[in-house]
């Protein structure tokens, strides 16, 4: 079956450094991708999204890059802060099953002071 | 400016009992999605509903699980005759339309004894 997955389950960075979290997807029909942040005991929080007609989108301290050729998605967090510590999920929406999001297993980001 | 609301936040049931989970979408949202998350895993899609209609229930177990989103009132995820394997966090999300950003509630953590 087709799935969304993350390359690394955990990532540890020093406060102030930049973080890069990667995601691979296999469904070439997907045209909408989202990054979520989930803190312990809470629901996923929307961070940033990107549609397949773009290859880069920037938000506040975050950038999402989409490489459709190799089906790869990444989330870059600039000047990582302790409050960024959480589990990060990428998700894709299948355009033939509009509404249904497929989530990866998540990367745990730990920020060391 | 209330977000997605879910109740109860925690629910304990004994095997064989029924569990009812409620979700009130964000104001103005008519699309509701239910996801299940097992410990240390990503979210798995269960069902996608619009007012009074089930659009996609491809992730719902064939037995014991049902969902509704009536014209008035919250969306309900109902689990009959719960078993220990139903223990998980159940998240609801809502959006203003198909392929629009899904905003998540805080989840209901179901524990089956």
């Amino acid at each position: 079956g087709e799935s969304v997955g993350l390359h690394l389950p955990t990532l540890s960075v020093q406060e102030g450094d930049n973080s890069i979290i990667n995601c691979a997807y296999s469904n070439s029909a997907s045209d909408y991708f989202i990054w979520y942040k989930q803190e312990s005991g809470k629901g996923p929080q929307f961070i940033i999204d990107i549609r397949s007609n773009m290859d880069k989108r920037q938000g506040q301290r975050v950038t999402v890059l989409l490489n459709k050729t190799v089906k790869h998605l990444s989330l870059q967090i600039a000047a990582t802060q302790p409050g960024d510590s959480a589990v990060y999920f990428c998700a894709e929406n299948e355009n033939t099953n509009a509404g249904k999001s497929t989530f990866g297993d998540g990367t745990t980001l730990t920020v060391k002071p | 400016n209330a977000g997605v609301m879910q109740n109860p936040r925690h629910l304990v049931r004994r095997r064989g009992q029924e569990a009812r989970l409620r979700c009130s979408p964000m104001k103005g949202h008519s699309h509701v999605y239910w996801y299940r998350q097992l410990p240390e895993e990503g979210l798995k899609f269960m069902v996608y509903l619009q007012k009074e209609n089930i659009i996609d229930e491809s992730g719902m177990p064939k037995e014991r699980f049902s969902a509704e989103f009536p014209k008035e009132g919250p969306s309900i995820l109902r689990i009959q005759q719960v078993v220990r394997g139903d223990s998980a966090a159940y998240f609801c999300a809502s959006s203003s339309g198909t392929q629009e950003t899904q905003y998540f509630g805080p989840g209901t953590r179901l524990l089956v004894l």
Side-chain angles (χ1 to χ4, degrees):
Chain A
E2 299 191 305
S3 63
V4 176
L6 292 160
H7 291 313
L8 297 173
T10 61
L11 177 65
S12 182
V13 301
Q14 206 70 36
E15 181 178 357
D17 288 351
N18 297 334
S19 302
I20 300 176
I21 301 172
N22 296 303
C23 178
Y25 68 95
S26 57
N27 185 356
S28 57
S30 294
D31 67 352
Y32 179 52
F33 304 88
I34 316 101
W35 280 101
Y36 290 95
K37 171 187 179 183
Q38 186 177 27
E39 296 173 283
S40 181
K42 297 184 178 179
Q45 176 188 353
F46 171 86
I47 300 173
I48 192 168
D49 58 2
I50 189 167
R51 298 191 185 272
S52 59
N53 60 351
M54 303 173 67
D55 54 19
K56 180 179 180 179
R57 190 164 188 223
Q58 288 185 291
Q60 187 176 15
R61 280 202 307 118
V62 295
T63 301
V64 55
L65 299 176
L66 175 63
N67 186 330
K68 295 181 286 293
T69 302
V70 295
K71 298 189 183 70
H72 183 267
L73 192 69
S74 69
L75 176 70
Q76 299 178 1
I77 305 173
T80 314
Q81 303 168 0
D84 294 327
S85 294
V87 179
Y88 289 81
F89 295 96
C90 64
E92 63 174 313
N93 270 31
E94 305 173 27
N95 59 9
T96 56
N97 288 291
K100 171 183 177 180
S101 286
T102 301
F103 281 76
D105 290 331
T107 291
T108 300
L109 175 66
T110 301
V111 181
K112 296 177 289 185
Chain B
N1 188 22
V4 178
M5 300 176 68
Q6 290 186 249
N7 69 82
R9 295 291 307 277
H10 299 273
L11 182 61
V12 180
R13 286 286 179 267
R14 296 191 181 279
R15 282 179 294 171
Q17 292 184 319
E18 178 180 287
R20 281 187 177 236
L21 287 61
R22 296 174 183 78
C23 170
S24 296
M26 286 180 68
K27 186 177 181 181
H29 287 187
S30 60
H31 299 246
V32 166
Y33 315 82
W34 286 93
Y35 294 84
R36 176 164 62 178
Q37 185 178 35
L38 295 172
E40 308 299 321
E41 293 188 10
L43 283 75
K44 304 298 183 188
F45 170 81
M46 299 181 74
V47 62
Y48 164 36
L49 311 100
Q50 294 181 34
K51 282 287 187 181
E52 301 184 276
N53 292 303
I54 296 175
I55 306 303
D56 182 351
E57 57 181 348
S58 59
M60 286 280 271
K62 300 299 181 188
E63 298 178 347
R64 302 187 298 108
F65 285 72
S66 62
E68 63 177 9
F69 189 17
K71 185 176 181 180
E72 300 292 337
S75 176
I76 306 288
L77 178 67
R78 182 184 180 201
I79 311 173
Q80 294 178 290
Q81 299 176 331
V82 296
V83 301
R84 286 191 175 149
D86 296 332
S87 295
Y90 292 83
F91 291 98
C92 167
S94 74
S95 70
S96 59
T98 300
Q99 292 252 1
E100 296 298 327
T101 302
Q102 295 180 23
Y103 293 92
F104 283 80
T108 293
R109 280 146 186 86
L110 173 65
L111 175 62
V112 180
L113 301 176

